[in-house]
Amino acid sequence: MLPSNALKKSGRDIAFRAWHSKLRKMLVVRSCNFADNDAEADVAEFNSAVFFRVRMGDLVLLQDVNLDTMNGDPVYEGDIVIAQVQNIFGSFEEAIGEVIYDDATWGYSLKFYTHSGLPPGETIRIARIVGNIFEGIINLPKRKNGSQKHHKED
């Protein structure tokens, strides 16, 4: 079980994980100080109860976006996900996208890498997390013909 890394604010958990730029690892954040880049954070590797201190300046914080996958896994900013997107005709199609912070709405949205081009409807279900922006796609399911032909579109 992962240690708790959440703060309560208005009844919502605020949790972070972080990419350590020098260690090149994703870490669980237990606590952090936002004072300046020389401030420190208590972090741990996933599935470890041993915390250690690192400089905040070495971390890229990624916030839990308060959404779960269809399997109940928490979704974080920077995750690359497979989503089921309802198109304007009501049918669902699979798309791969990155969870991003949207300055215009002050919220999180999906930036699609693959999509049919039809305008999406109102329903988007995040099926599973397949990677993140730092480590790339690391958990992509194979297609029926055995290939992994999903490419990131720039």
Side-chain angles (χ1 to χ4, degrees), residues 41-112:
D42 290 330
V43 298
E45 293 189 31
F46 284 89
N47 300 319
S48 172
V50 178
F51 284 87
F52 55 97
R53 286 216 164 154
V54 296
R55 286 186 54 241
M56 285 291 291
D58 294 333
L59 299 177
V60 178
L61 290 177
L62 303 163
Q63 186 172 344
D64 180 336
V65 300
N66 206 29
L67 292 174
D68 292 335
T69 66
M70 293 166 62
N71 294 327
D73 298 322
V75 178
Y76 285 83
E77 178 181 6
D79 279 343
I80 298 172
V81 299
I82 293 179
Q84 294 176 352
V85 181
Q86 185 180 28
N87 62 32
I88 57 173
F89 302 111
S91 61
F92 284 88
E93 53 191 85
E94 186 178 274
I96 296 177
E98 174 188 331
V99 179
I100 61 168
Y101 182 77
D102 185 356
D103 290 325
T105 63
W106 292 6
Y108 293 95
S109 63
L110 284 175
K111 173 184 168 188
F112 290 109

Side-chain angles (χ1 to χ4, degrees), residues 118-140:
L118 289 174
E122 292 186 17
T123 304
I124 298 175
R125 300 183 296 220
I126 298 176
R128 58 185 258 169
I129 299 165
V130 294
N132 62 65
I133 58 173
F134 297 100
E135 297 167 306
I137 296 176
I138 53 177
N139 195 18
L140 190 63

